[in-house]
Amino acid sequence: MLSARTAAASPAASLWKRAGGEGGSGNGNGNNGCTSCREVRRRAAVVTVRATPPRRVEAVAMESAAAEIAEAEAEAVAMESAVAEAETAEEEAEKEVAAAGGGVEDKYGEDRATEELPVTPWAFSVASGYTLLRDPHHNKGLAFTEKERDAHYLRGLLPPGVVSQDLQVKKIMHNLRQYKVPLQRYVAMMDLQERNERLFYKLLIDNVEELLPVVYTPTVGEACQKYGSIFRRPQGLYVSLRDKGKVLEVLRNWPERNIQVIVVTDGERILGLGDLGCQGMGIPVGKLSLYTALGGVRPSACLPITIDVGTNNEQLLNDEFYIGLRQRRATGEEYHELMEEFMGAVKQIYGEKVLIQFEDFANHNAFDLLAKYSQSHLVFNDDIQGTASVVLAGLLSSLKIVGGNLAEHTYLFLGAGEAGTGIAELIALEISKQTDNPIEECRKRIWLADSKGLIVSSRRDSLQPFKKSWAHEHEPVTTLLDAVKSLKPTVLIGTSGVGKAFTKEVIEAMASFNEKPVIFSLSNPTSHSECTAEEAYRWTKGRAVFASGSPFDPVVYDEKTYVPGQANNAYIFPGLGLGVVISGAIRVHEDMLLAASETLAEQATQENFAKGSIFPPFANIRKISALIAASVAAKAYELGLATRLPRPRDLEKYAESCMYTPVYRSYR
């Protein structure tokens, strides 16, 4: 559909006005252009029958009638041409978006570069009155000025008081802090997002350290489990097996065309909670909120999608409030045909430069999808690549405390799924880059253990394909404690999803042969963490270099306060996404992930280390994201993967200028 702005500027609109349509010089009765055109023809026909007997008068009348008929026919041809243009406008717009890779027009006034410019609150027409108050893109609540209230018919629809956006933020934070249950805060935040988009992001940006655990882990896990009960309004697109053969039509139902980032899940492995089916939608919604708040990607350019192929969760299938397909999960050919259609439809409607982030797919699909589409689409798997990038940054940062380089350390993972193997591979790549040794040689410093014990060469034939690279020569070991005692790792990383797997005996063993043992307990949510921060510090007598996947409160041990770092993917993926967008990259390369890790590691300071954290504070995340975006974009240009030319001279400043800002705009 044409936007109001496009329609107003089109040739059809000017003809419509000349023909007597609203806003033109006609009679103002609201007739449309086609009716006015018919009226011209009718008058011309009437003129032809008003002939008088005198030949001279008849000749003059006939000439006049002929001229009017010719003029009317010319206008009719012009009208038909304009109508044809209007009918094809949407198709042409889609082609332009595909060619531009998501588009760059800032039609909502979302970027920092347009922050001071007044905007017109367009919807399908200029939003005003009650409609404007119900439009989350443009609603400002009590912050509408007196002038705006007059211009947009808001008198009487709002109380007379005018308040600032900062005061609105203060009031909502006060209200949120009254809730004792985290899920209540989550629901309140989602309601705000649906009511006043800019205020939601202003609130999140200004209070990111307090609200990040509300809109994402750990609270989002509970939200997904209860998504059917708390569901109010759709916040993304649902593509189900029922839509097979019609996926392109489903995508066209989304109101925005300039999409730059898609986060998609099939809900099979939500955090450490398992198969939540359609209710996994909370994950794409939460991730994209962070793309905007932390990375500055426009909310109008973000699209959350859930692929619903059923669920094997019996509790959900029997839940009367479940909102997804009530059937067992589709697999094999049926599943892959739907994914193939989906990926093709995305590329057709949004172009090849839209970033597709796979999120919380089960291992058997996650690796296959990433391998299959990484050569034909701009794809990224946050569980495999994003987690790996932020953990590598944490390791690079921890070296400033424990000393040495990556190649001098020994790594042991508990957990050999998407996260574990993804982290291990990126560590090996970084070691290879630093030492110029083959990747196969670098993998030998890294050991993985799964539910059956240490992954060793004697198990190779029974291993899944993505685990085989990590099967090294060693006698079989069945317990984590025995693996720690045998290998004597300097770094212990947990990605198992098994709570309390790092027992006191395991951590004390790590501390027995390491002055500063590096212990990363990365599983989410908090209840699935391999150990708590308090346990890691207490069992190592305060010597651990600790990081976790979920947030932990500061720990006081031996009169010293430790502030544990959180290896949160939100350090990486927002900046990575912004870098991809501003460079117009057509693929995500592993060197771009390494660049993001190195940039993040550089932001940790001695002040952070003194408090026990190897990551910089989240309060600086927007600046960090801009730096990461600049590094990623620079690597994209270096690798020849960037298409947005010419390359900006200062990528950091360019990234900052492209970042979404949530401050209210002034309306004309």
Side-chain angles (χ1 to χ4, degrees), residues 92-166:
E92 291 297 320
E94 287 183 7
K95 291 179 180 178
E96 290 175 8
V97 168
V104 295
E105 181 190 2
D106 188 12
K107 66 178 180 179
Y108 290 121
E110 297 173 286
D111 295 352
R112 179 172 297 176
T114 61
E115 186 172 300
E116 302 300 325
L117 300 178
V119 299
T120 301
W122 290 96
F124 291 103
S125 60
V126 177
S128 62
Y130 196 77
T131 303
L132 179 54
L133 296 177
R134 292 297 181 271
D135 182 352
H137 292 303
H138 301 113
N139 179 31
K140 300 198 288 186
L142 289 176
F144 283 106
T145 65
E146 296 287 348
K147 183 178 179 181
E148 289 170 336
R149 296 181 188 206
D150 285 333
H152 294 284
Y153 307 99
L154 296 174
R155 287 289 176 190
L157 299 180
L158 291 169
V162 177
V163 303
S164 68
Q165 190 179 25
D166 287 337

Coordinates of all heavy atoms in Angstrom, one line a residue, residues 92-166:
E92 N 6.8 -2.2 -6.8 CA 8.1 -1.5 -7.1 C 8.8 -1.2 -5.8 O 10.1 -1.3 -5.8 CB 7.8 -0.2 -7.9 CG 7.3 -0.4 -9.3 CD 8.4 -1.1 -10.2 OE1 9.6 -0.8 -10.0 OE2 8.0 -2.0 -10.9
A93 N 8.1 -0.8 -4.8 CA 8.7 -0.5 -3.5 C 9.4 -1.7 -2.9 O 10.5 -1.6 -2.4 CB 7.7 0.0 -2.5
E94 N 8.8 -2.9 -3.1 CA 9.5 -4.1 -2.6 C 10.8 -4.4 -3.4 O 11.8 -4.8 -2.8 CB 8.5 -5.3 -2.8 CG 7.4 -5.3 -1.8 CD 6.5 -6.5 -1.9 OE1 6.9 -7.4 -2.7 OE2 5.5 -6.6 -1.2
K95 N 10.7 -4.1 -4.7 CA 11.9 -4.3 -5.5 C 13.0 -3.4 -5.0 O 14.2 -3.7 -5.0 CB 11.6 -4.1 -7.0 CG 10.7 -5.2 -7.6 CD 10.5 -4.9 -9.0 CE 9.6 -6.0 -9.6 NZ 9.3 -5.7 -11.0
E96 N 12.7 -2.1 -4.7 CA 13.7 -1.1 -4.3 C 14.3 -1.5 -3.0 O 15.5 -1.4 -2.8 CB 13.0 0.3 -4.2 CG 12.7 0.8 -5.6 CD 11.9 2.2 -5.4 OE1 11.9 2.7 -4.3 OE2 11.5 2.7 -6.4
V97 N 13.4 -2.0 -2.1 CA 13.9 -2.4 -0.8 C 14.9 -3.6 -0.9 O 16.0 -3.6 -0.3 CB 12.8 -2.9 0.2 CG1 13.3 -3.6 1.4 CG2 12.0 -1.6 0.6
A98 N 14.6 -4.6 -1.8 CA 15.4 -5.7 -2.0 C 16.8 -5.2 -2.6 O 17.8 -5.7 -2.2 CB 14.8 -6.7 -2.9
A99 N 16.7 -4.3 -3.5 CA 17.9 -3.8 -4.2 C 18.8 -3.0 -3.2 O 20.0 -3.1 -3.2 CB 17.6 -2.9 -5.4
A100 N 18.2 -2.3 -2.2 CA 18.9 -1.5 -1.3 C 19.3 -2.2 0.0 O 20.0 -1.7 0.8 CB 18.1 -0.3 -0.9
G101 N 18.9 -3.5 0.1 CA 19.3 -4.3 1.2 C 18.6 -3.9 2.5 O 19.3 -3.8 3.5
G102 N 17.4 -3.5 2.5 CA 16.7 -3.1 3.7 C 16.4 -1.6 3.7 O 15.6 -1.2 4.5
G103 N 17.0 -0.9 2.8 CA 16.6 0.5 2.7 C 17.3 1.4 3.8 O 17.8 0.9 4.8
V104 N 17.4 2.7 3.5 CA 18.1 3.6 4.5 C 17.2 4.8 4.9 O 17.6 5.6 5.7 CB 19.4 4.1 3.9 CG1 20.4 2.9 3.7 CG2 19.2 4.8 2.6
E105 N 16.0 4.9 4.2 CA 15.2 6.1 4.5 C 14.7 6.0 6.0 O 14.2 5.0 6.5 CB 14.0 6.1 3.6 CG 13.1 7.3 3.9 CD 11.7 7.2 3.1 OE1 11.5 6.2 2.4 OE2 10.9 8.1 3.3
D106 N 14.9 7.1 6.7 CA 14.5 7.2 8.1 C 13.1 7.8 8.2 O 13.0 9.0 8.6 CB 15.5 8.0 8.8 CG 15.3 8.0 10.3 OD1 14.5 7.2 10.8 OD2 16.0 8.8 11.0
K107 N 12.1 7.1 7.8 CA 10.8 7.7 7.7 C 10.1 8.0 9.0 O 9.2 8.8 9.1 CB 9.9 6.8 6.8 CG 9.5 5.5 7.4 CD 8.6 4.7 6.5 CE 8.2 3.4 7.0 NZ 7.2 2.6 6.1
Y108 N 10.5 7.3 10.1 CA 9.9 7.6 11.4 C 10.8 8.6 12.2 O 10.4 8.9 13.3 CB 9.8 6.3 12.2 CG 8.7 5.3 11.7 CD1 9.1 4.1 11.2 CD2 7.4 5.7 11.5 CE1 8.1 3.2 10.8 CE2 6.4 4.9 11.0 CZ 6.8 3.6 10.7 OH 5.8 2.7 10.2
G109 N 11.9 9.0 11.7 CA 12.8 9.9 12.4 C 13.4 9.2 13.6 O 13.2 9.6 14.8
E110 N 14.0 8.0 13.4 CA 14.5 7.2 14.5 C 16.0 7.3 14.8 O 16.4 7.0 15.9 CB 14.2 5.7 14.2 CG 12.7 5.4 14.0 CD 12.5 4.0 13.6 OE1 12.7 3.7 12.4 OE2 12.1 3.2 14.4
D111 N 16.8 7.8 13.8 CA 18.2 7.8 14.0 C 18.7 9.1 14.6 O 18.1 10.1 14.6 CB 18.9 7.6 12.6 CG 18.6 6.3 12.0 OD1 18.0 5.4 12.7 OD2 19.0 6.1 10.8
R112 N 19.9 9.0 15.2 CA 20.5 10.2 15.8 C 20.7 11.3 14.8 O 20.6 12.5 15.2 CB 21.9 9.8 16.5 CG 22.6 10.9 17.1 CD 23.8 10.4 17.9 NE 23.4 9.6 19.0 CZ 24.3 8.9 19.8 NH1 25.6 9.1 19.6 NH2 23.9 8.2 20.8
A113 N 21.0 11.0 13.6 CA 21.3 12.0 12.6 C 20.1 12.9 12.3 O 20.2 14.0 11.9 CB 21.8 11.3 11.3
T114 N 18.9 12.4 12.6 CA 17.7 13.2 12.3 C 17.0 13.6 13.6 O 15.9 14.1 13.6 CB 16.7 12.3 11.5 OG1 16.3 11.2 12.3 CG2 17.2 11.9 10.2
E115 N 17.7 13.5 14.7 CA 17.2 13.8 16.0 C 16.6 15.2 16.2 O 15.5 15.3 16.8 CB 18.2 13.5 17.1 CG 17.7 13.6 18.5 CD 18.8 13.1 19.5 OE1 19.2 12.0 19.4 OE2 19.2 14.0 20.4
E116 N 17.2 16.2 15.6 CA 16.7 17.5 15.8 C 15.7 18.0 14.7 O 15.2 19.1 14.8 CB 17.9 18.5 15.7 CG 19.0 18.2 16.7 CD 18.5 18.3 18.2 OE1 17.6 19.2 18.4 OE2 18.9 17.5 19.0
L117 N 15.4 17.1 13.8 CA 14.5 17.5 12.7 C 13.1 17.3 13.1 O 12.7 16.2 13.6 CB 14.8 16.8 11.4 CG 16.2 17.0 10.8 CD1 16.4 16.1 9.6 CD2 16.5 18.4 10.5
P118 N 12.1 18.2 12.8 CA 10.7 17.9 13.1 C 10.2 16.9 12.1 O 10.7 16.8 11.0 CB 10.1 19.3 12.9 CG 11.0 20.0 11.9 CD 12.4 19.6 12.3
V119 N 9.3 16.1 12.5 CA 8.8 15.0 11.7 C 7.2 15.1 11.6 O 6.6 15.7 12.5 CB 9.2 13.6 12.2 CG1 10.7 13.5 12.1 CG2 8.6 13.3 13.5
T120 N 6.7 14.5 10.6 CA 5.2 14.4 10.5 C 4.8 13.0 10.9 O 5.4 12.1 10.4 CB 4.7 14.7 9.1 OG1 5.2 16.0 8.7 CG2 3.2 14.6 9.0
P121 N 3.9 12.9 11.9 CA 3.5 11.5 12.3 C 2.7 10.8 11.3 O 1.5 10.6 11.5 CB 2.8 11.8 13.6 CG 2.2 13.2 13.4 CD 3.2 13.9 12.6
W122 N 3.3 10.3 10.3 CA 2.6 9.5 9.2 C 2.2 8.1 9.7 O 3.0 7.4 10.3 CB 3.4 9.4 8.0 CG 3.7 10.7 7.2 CD1 4.7 11.5 7.3 CD2 2.8 11.3 6.3 NE1 4.6 12.6 6.5 CE2 3.4 12.5 5.8 CE3 1.6 10.9 5.7 CZ2 2.8 13.3 4.9 CZ3 1.0 11.7 4.8 CH2 1.6 12.9 4.4
A123 N 1.0 7.7 9.3 CA 0.7 6.3 9.4 C 0.3 5.9 8.0 O 1.1 6.0 7.1 CB -0.4 6.0 10.4
F124 N -1.0 5.7 7.7 CA -1.5 5.6 6.3 C -1.9 7.0 5.9 O -2.1 7.3 4.8 CB -2.6 4.6 6.2 CG -2.1 3.2 6.4 CD1 -2.4 2.5 7.5 CD2 -1.4 2.6 5.4 CE1 -1.9 1.2 7.7 CE2 -1.0 1.3 5.5 CZ -1.2 0.6 6.7
S125 N -2.1 7.8 6.9 CA -2.4 9.3 6.7 C -1.7 9.9 7.9 O -1.1 9.3 8.7 CB -3.9 9.6 6.6 OG -4.5 9.2 7.8
V126 N -1.8 11.3 8.0 CA -1.3 11.9 9.1 C -2.0 11.5 10.4 O -3.2 11.7 10.4 CB -1.3 13.5 9.0 CG1 -0.8 14.1 10.2 CG2 -0.5 13.9 7.7
A127 N -1.3 10.9 11.3 CA -2.0 10.4 12.5 C -2.4 11.6 13.4 O -1.7 12.6 13.5 CB -1.1 9.5 13.3
S128 N -3.6 11.6 13.9 CA -4.1 12.7 14.7 C -5.2 12.1 15.7 O -5.7 11.0 15.5 CB -4.7 13.8 13.9 OG -5.8 13.4 13.1
G129 N -5.5 12.9 16.7 CA -6.6 12.6 17.6 C -6.3 11.3 18.3 O -5.2 10.9 18.7
Y130 N -7.4 10.6 18.4 CA -7.4 9.3 19.2 C -6.5 8.3 18.5 O -5.8 7.5 19.2 CB -8.9 8.8 19.2 CG -9.1 7.7 20.2 CD1 -9.2 8.0 21.6 CD2 -9.2 6.3 19.9 CE1 -9.4 7.0 22.6 CE2 -9.4 5.3 20.8 CZ -9.5 5.7 22.1 OH -9.7 4.7 23.1
T131 N -6.4 8.3 17.2 CA -5.6 7.4 16.5 C -4.1 7.6 16.8 O -3.3 6.7 17.0 CB -5.8 7.6 14.9 OG1 -7.1 7.3 14.6 CG2 -4.9 6.6 14.2
L132 N -3.7 8.9 17.0 CA -2.3 9.2 17.3 C -2.0 8.7 18.7 O -0.8 8.1 18.9 CB -2.1 10.7 17.2 CG -0.7 11.3 17.6 CD1 0.3 10.6 16.7 CD2 -0.7 12.8 17.4
L133 N -2.9 8.7 19.6 CA -2.6 8.2 21.0 C -2.5 6.7 21.0 O -2.0 6.2 22.0 CB -3.7 8.7 21.9 CG -3.8 10.2 22.1 CD1 -5.0 10.6 23.0 CD2 -2.5 10.8 22.7
R134 N -3.1 6.0 20.0 CA -3.0 4.6 19.9 C -1.9 4.1 19.0 O -1.8 2.9 18.8 CB -4.4 4.0 19.5 CG -5.5 4.3 20.4 CD -5.3 3.5 21.8 NE -6.3 3.7 22.7 CZ -6.4 4.7 23.6 NH1 -5.5 5.6 23.6 NH2 -7.4 4.7 24.5
D135 N -1.1 5.0 18.5 CA 0.0 4.6 17.6 C 1.3 4.5 18.4 O 1.8 5.6 18.8 CB 0.1 5.6 16.4 CG 1.2 5.2 15.4 OD1 2.0 4.3 15.7 OD2 1.3 5.9 14.4
P136 N 1.9 3.4 18.7 CA 3.1 3.3 19.5 C 4.3 4.0 18.9 O 5.2 4.4 19.6 CB 3.3 1.8 19.7 CG 2.6 1.1 18.5 CD 1.4 2.0 18.3
H137 N 4.3 4.1 17.6 CA 5.5 4.8 16.9 C 5.5 6.2 17.3 O 6.6 6.8 17.4 CB 5.4 4.6 15.4 CG 5.6 3.2 14.9 ND1 6.7 2.5 15.2 CD2 4.8 2.4 14.1 CE1 6.6 1.3 14.6 NE2 5.5 1.2 14.0
H138 N 4.3 6.9 17.4 CA 4.3 8.3 17.5 C 3.7 8.8 18.8 O 3.8 10.0 19.1 CB 3.4 8.9 16.4 CG 4.0 8.6 15.0 ND1 3.3 7.7 14.1 CD2 5.1 8.9 14.4 CE1 4.1 7.6 13.0 NE2 5.2 8.3 13.2
N139 N 3.1 8.0 19.6 CA 2.4 8.4 20.9 C 3.5 8.9 21.8 O 4.5 8.3 22.0 CB 1.7 7.2 21.5 CG 1.0 7.6 22.8 OD1 0.6 8.8 23.0 ND2 0.9 6.6 23.7
K140 N 3.2 10.1 22.5 CA 4.1 10.7 23.5 C 3.4 10.8 24.8 O 3.9 11.4 25.8 CB 4.6 12.0 23.0 CG 5.4 12.0 21.7 CD 6.3 13.2 21.5 CE 5.4 14.4 21.1 NZ 6.3 15.5 20.8
G141 N 2.1 10.4 24.9 CA 1.4 10.5 26.1 C 1.2 12.0 26.5 O 0.9 12.8 25.7
L142 N 1.5 12.2 27.8 CA 1.3 13.6 28.3 C 2.5 14.5 27.9 O 2.5 15.7 28.2 CB 1.3 13.6 29.9 CG 0.0 13.0 30.5 CD1 0.2 12.9 32.0 CD2 -1.2 13.8 30.1
A143 N 3.4 14.0 27.1 CA 4.5 14.9 26.6 C 4.1 15.7 25.4 O 5.0 16.5 24.9 CB 5.7 14.0 26.4
F144 N 3.0 15.5 24.8 CA 2.5 16.3 23.7 C 2.5 17.8 24.1 O 1.9 18.1 25.2 CB 1.2 15.9 23.1 CG 1.2 14.7 22.3 CD1 0.7 13.5 22.8 CD2 1.7 14.7 21.0 CE1 0.8 12.3 22.0 CE2 1.7 13.6 20.2 CZ 1.3 12.4 20.7
T145 N 3.1 18.7 23.4 CA 3.1 20.1 23.7 C 1.7 20.7 23.4 O 0.8 20.1 22.8 CB 4.1 20.9 22.9 OG1 3.8 20.8 21.5 CG2 5.5 20.3 23.2
E146 N 1.5 22.0 23.9 CA 0.2 22.7 23.7 C 0.0 22.8 22.2 O -1.1 22.6 21.6 CB 0.2 24.0 24.4 CG 0.3 24.0 25.9 CD -1.0 23.5 26.5 OE1 -2.0 23.5 25.8 OE2 -1.0 23.2 27.7
K147 N 1.1 23.2 21.5 CA 1.0 23.4 20.0 C 0.6 22.1 19.3 O -0.2 22.1 18.4 CB 2.3 24.0 19.5 CG 2.3 24.3 18.0 CD 3.7 24.9 17.6 CE 3.7 25.2 16.1 NZ 5.0 25.7 15.7
E148 N 1.2 21.0 19.7 CA 1.0 19.7 19.1 C -0.5 19.2 19.4 O -1.1 18.6 18.5 CB 2.0 18.7 19.6 CG 3.4 18.9 19.0 CD 4.4 18.0 19.7 OE1 4.2 17.6 20.9 OE2 5.5 17.7 19.1
R149 N -0.9 19.5 20.6 CA -2.3 19.2 20.9 C -3.3 19.9 20.0 O -4.4 19.3 19.6 CB -2.6 19.4 22.4 CG -1.7 18.6 23.3 CD -2.0 18.8 24.8 NE -1.0 18.1 25.6 CZ -1.2 17.7 26.8 NH1 -2.4 17.9 27.4 NH2 -0.2 17.1 27.5
D150 N -3.0 21.1 19.7 CA -3.9 21.9 18.8 C -3.8 21.4 17.4 O -4.8 21.2 16.7 CB -3.6 23.4 18.8 CG -4.1 24.1 20.1 OD1 -5.0 23.6 20.7 OD2 -3.4 25.0 20.5
A151 N -2.6 21.1 16.9 CA -2.4 20.8 15.5 C -2.9 19.4 15.2 O -3.3 19.1 14.1 CB -0.9 20.8 15.2
H152 N -2.9 18.5 16.2 CA -3.3 17.1 16.0 C -4.6 16.7 16.7 O -4.7 15.5 17.0 CB -2.1 16.2 16.3 CG -0.9 16.4 15.4 ND1 -0.8 15.9 14.2 CD2 0.2 17.1 15.6 CE1 0.3 16.3 13.6 NE2 1.0 17.0 14.5
Y153 N -5.4 17.6 17.0 CA -6.8 17.3 17.6 C -6.7 16.5 18.8 O -7.5 15.5 18.9 CB -7.6 16.6 16.5 CG -7.6 17.4 15.2 CD1 -6.8 17.0 14.1 CD2 -8.5 18.5 15.0 CE1 -6.8 17.7 12.9 CE2 -8.5 19.2 13.8 CZ -7.6 18.8 12.8 OH -7.6 19.5 11.6
L154 N -5.9 16.9 19.7 CA -5.7 16.1 21.0 C -6.4 16.8 22.2 O -6.4 16.3 23.3 CB -4.2 15.9 21.3 CG -3.5 15.0 20.3 CD1 -2.0 15.0 20.6 CD2 -4.0 13.6 20.2
R155 N -6.9 18.0 22.0 CA -7.6 18.7 23.0 C -8.7 17.9 23.6 O -9.6 17.4 22.9 CB -8.1 20.1 22.5 CG -7.1 21.1 22.3 CD -6.5 21.6 23.6 NE -5.4 22.6 23.3 CZ -4.6 23.0 24.2 NH1 -4.7 22.6 25.5 NH2 -3.6 23.9 23.9
G156 N -8.7 17.7 24.9 CA -9.8 17.0 25.6 C -9.5 15.5 25.7 O -10.1 14.8 26.5
L157 N -8.6 15.0 24.8 CA -8.2 13.6 24.9 C -7.1 13.3 25.9 O -6.9 12.1 26.2 CB -7.8 13.1 23.5 CG -8.8 13.2 22.4 CD1 -8.3 12.7 21.1 CD2 -10.1 12.4 22.7
L158 N -6.5 14.3 26.4 CA -5.5 14.2 27.4 C -5.8 15.2 28.5 O -6.4 16.2 28.3 CB -4.1 14.6 26.8 CG -3.5 13.6 25.7 CD1 -2.3 14.3 25.1 CD2 -3.1 12.3 26.4
P159 N -5.3 14.9 29.7 CA -5.4 15.8 30.8 C -4.6 17.1 30.4 O -3.7 17.0 29.6 CB -4.8 15.1 32.0 CG -4.8 13.7 31.6 CD -4.7 13.6 30.2
P160 N -4.9 18.2 31.0 CA -4.2 19.4 30.6 C -2.7 19.5 30.9 O -2.0 20.3 30.3 CB -4.9 20.6 31.3 CG -5.6 19.9 32.5 CD -5.9 18.5 32.0
G161 N -2.2 18.7 31.9 CA -0.8 18.8 32.2 C 0.1 18.3 31.1 O -0.2 17.3 30.4
V162 N 1.3 19.0 31.0 CA 2.3 18.6 30.0 C 3.5 18.2 30.8 O 4.0 19.0 31.6 CB 2.6 19.7 29.0 CG1 3.7 19.3 28.1 CG2 1.4 20.1 28.3
V163 N 4.1 17.0 30.6 CA 5.2 16.5 31.3 C 6.3 16.2 30.3 O 6.1 15.9 29.1 CB 4.9 15.3 32.2 CG1 3.8 15.6 33.2 CG2 4.5 14.1 31.3
S164 N 7.6 16.1 30.8 CA 8.7 15.8 30.0 C 8.9 14.3 29.9 O 8.3 13.5 30.7 CB 10.0 16.4 30.6 OG 10.3 15.7 31.8
Q165 N 9.6 13.8 28.9 CA 9.9 12.4 28.8 C 10.7 11.9 30.0 O 10.5 10.8 30.4 CB 10.7 12.1 27.5 CG 10.8 10.7 27.1 CD 11.5 10.4 25.8 OE1 12.3 11.2 25.4 NE2 11.2 9.3 25.2
D166 N 11.6 12.7 30.5 CA 12.4 12.3 31.7 C 11.5 12.0 32.9 O 11.7 11.1 33.7 CB 13.5 13.3 32.0 CG 14.6 13.4 31.0 OD1 14.8 12.3 30.3 OD2 15.3 14.4 30.9

